[in-house]
Amino acid sequence: MFLEDLTAKINNYMEDLEYATARIFIEENIQLLSENKNMLNNNARELLKFLLEMQKEGSKPLTRKDMAIINSINSFANKFDLRGLKLMVKENASLLIRKEIPLYLSADAKILLDGMGPIHKEG
């Protein structure tokens, strides 16, 4: 019964566009879900596949604190608050080094941070 409830919750979160919550459930039960991925809907399977690939590469999942920092950076960039953005970059330089971080940044944040130097556009 646990597996059915878990997959139903994850599928519902994915349908409701609550990806962060779905990701937490998937990360906590990644082994069980990888063995029973046929019970997940298409979007949840893609998220599981992505998380398994990250795990193979040795990447650690982002914590809530990391996500809060990224959201703050996006907010400062959206408001064009360079002072706040510089402070966030200075205090969290080690987070911005990670190669997957640009995937979570808004377009404004990518442009500003690329100009400031902490990240570089690929391609």
Side-chain angles (χ1 to χ4, degrees):
M1 191 81 165
F2 172 73
L3 180 62
E4 290 84 14
D5 292 338
L6 177 66
T7 54
K9 280 184 182 181
I10 292 171
N11 289 335
N12 287 336
Y13 286 131
M14 292 299 289
E15 288 173 11
D16 294 340
L17 304 177
E18 295 183 29
Y19 300 125
T21 308
R23 180 178 178 163
I24 290 168
F25 277 106
I26 291 173
E27 286 175 343
E28 290 174 351
N29 302 288
I30 198 159
Q31 187 62 36
L32 177 66
L33 291 170
S34 63
E35 294 168 0
N36 299 290
K37 59 185 164 192
N38 60 324
M39 297 179 75
L40 296 171
N41 66 20
N42 217 10
N43 290 339
R45 267 184 263 154
E46 286 299 317
L47 181 57
L48 174 65
K49 180 181 169 186
F50 173 75
L51 293 173
L52 287 170
E53 287 174 9
M54 282 184 53
Q55 195 176 50
K56 281 181 187 176
E57 294 174 1
S59 300
K60 294 181 184 175
L62 294 176
T63 64
R64 284 186 184 262
K65 182 181 177 187
D66 295 339
M67 288 303 294
I69 292 167
I70 292 169
N71 287 336
S72 296
I73 289 172
N74 287 335
S75 177
F76 285 130
N78 188 35
K79 296 174 188 172
F80 205 71
D81 182 354
L82 295 180
R83 178 185 245 170
L85 187 61
K86 286 180 183 179
L87 183 63
M88 291 301 293
V89 167
K90 182 179 177 184
E91 292 178 355
N92 303 292
S94 61
L95 176 65
L96 294 172
I97 293 173
R98 295 174 61 174
K99 68 177 184 173
E100 71 270 11
I101 295 303
L103 298 172
Y104 298 98
L105 295 173
S106 66
D108 295 334
K110 286 179 188 176
I111 291 169
L112 291 173
L113 292 175
D114 183 44
M116 292 170 63
I119 65 165
H120 298 287
K121 290 185 214 173
E122 293 184 19

